[in-house]
Amino acid sequence: MVKTIAFDLGGVIITIDNDEPVRRFKELGVADAEQLLNPYVQSGFFGDLEHGKIDEEEFRAQLSQHAGRELTWEQCQYAWKGYVAEVQQCNLDIMTKLRSMGFRIILASNTNGFMQAWADSEAFSPDKHPISYYCDRMYRSHEMKEMKPSDRFFRYILTHERTAPSDILFIDDSARNCAAASQLGMHTFCPHNGSDWTGTLLDMLENNKV
C-alpha cells in the first residue's frame, strides 16, 4: 500500500522549458549550450554541479572560463531558471491535499544550488511559499551526491525513509527514471511535462490502482 509519494520537480511540480535555458546560457557566452544541457540528466561540469561534485562557486568559475568572460552567481542562476516555465498552484494544492489524506510527501529531484535557492524562497510559488511548505522531506541530487536514474539515488531515499519500495509511488516525467524506480519495486507514474496529472493521480490513489 502506498504511504509515501515522491515527486520530481522539473516536469512534474513545475512545467519546464527546455529551450529557454539554452537561449540564456548562450546569452552569457556559452556557444555550445545545446550540447551541455539535458532535460533529465546533465553532463560535464553541469552534471558535476547537479551531482554535488562541485559547488556553485566552482561552477561559476568554470562557466566563466568556458564563456570567456567573468560571470556572476546571479547570472548563473538567471540562466538555470530558464527551465522554469510555470509553477501551477493546482499542482501544489494537490500535494497539500495528499498530505491531509495521510500521505507522506517527498521531493526527489536532480537539481542544483542555483535552482534550490529559488525553490527555497517565497518566490517559488504563486501563494508565496517555499517548496518545503509542501513537502515532508526533500531529496536533492547535489546534496545526496547521487543522481537519477542511478539505483543509488533511489536506495538512498529508501534507506533514509526506512520504508519498503512498494510503499512509495514515484512520479517523474522521465520514462528512464521511472523504469529505474520500478526495477527496485516502487510504484511509478510518468506524466508528460506540462500536463494536468492531478486528476489521474487522485484516481490512481482513490481507486487502489497503485
Side-chain angles (χ1 to χ4, degrees), residues 28-94:
L28 298 182
V30 183
D32 57 346
E34 287 102 337
Q35 286 72 48
L36 292 169
L37 292 166
N38 185 286
Y40 303 117
V41 58
Q42 307 296 345
S43 59
F45 64 95
F46 282 71
D48 288 343
L49 176 69
E50 300 216 322
H51 209 148
K53 294 179 179 178
I54 61 173
D55 61 18
E56 296 153 76
E57 175 54 27
E58 291 172 302
F59 176 84
R60 186 203 63 77
Q62 289 192 41
L63 189 69
S64 296
Q65 183 177 28
H66 192 82
R69 68 188 184 100
E70 195 68 15
L71 298 170
T72 66
W73 189 98
E74 290 76 15
Q75 286 174 310
C76 293
Q77 187 191 47
Y78 161 77
W80 277 109
K81 280 181 62 183
Y83 274 113
V84 183
E86 185 179 12
V87 182
Q88 295 189 57
Q89 187 63 48
C90 63
N91 294 349
L92 302 173
D93 290 344
I94 200 69

Side-chain angles (χ1 to χ4, degrees), residues 189-210:
F189 173 35
C190 189
H192 293 294
N193 173 45
S195 66
D196 182 359
W197 45 262
T198 58
T200 302
L201 176 59
L202 279 178
D203 179 65
M204 291 170 64
L205 296 169
E206 291 174 349
N207 293 290
N208 299 313
K209 296 180 180 179
V210 290

Side-chain angles (χ1 to χ4, degrees), residues 135-196:
C135 300
D136 293 297
R137 185 157 181 176
M138 293 175 287
Y139 295 94
R140 300 186 272 208
S141 61
H142 69 290
E143 296 172 332
M144 299 161 60
K145 302 192 183 331
E146 300 291 352
M147 290 180 71
K148 297 177 289 184
S150 168
D151 66 347
R152 293 187 299 273
F153 180 96
F154 299 104
R155 292 186 188 280
Y156 182 103
I157 293 175
L158 291 171
T159 297
H160 286 76
E161 287 296 306
R162 297 179 182 179
T163 189
S166 58
D167 289 339
I168 295 183
L169 171 61
F170 172 67
I171 306 174
D172 197 296
D173 65 314
S174 164
R176 184 182 178 192
N177 291 343
C178 285
S182 180
Q183 286 176 358
L184 291 177
M186 294 183 185
H187 302 279
T188 61
F189 173 35
C190 189
H192 293 294
N193 173 45
S195 66
D196 182 359

Side-chain angles (χ1 to χ4, degrees), residues 13 89 91-97 99-100 105-107 119-122 124-138 140:
I13 296 175
Q89 187 63 48
N91 294 349
L92 302 173
D93 290 344
I94 200 69
M95 293 169 71
T96 301
K97 177 180 175 66
R99 288 178 88 184
S100 72
I105 302 300
I106 64 175
L107 181 74
D120 285 348
S121 73
E122 292 183 353
F124 169 71
S125 70
D127 60 359
K128 304 196 181 305
H129 290 300
I131 192 169
S132 58
Y133 180 83
Y134 307 96
C135 300
D136 293 297
R137 185 157 181 176
M138 293 175 287
R140 300 186 272 208

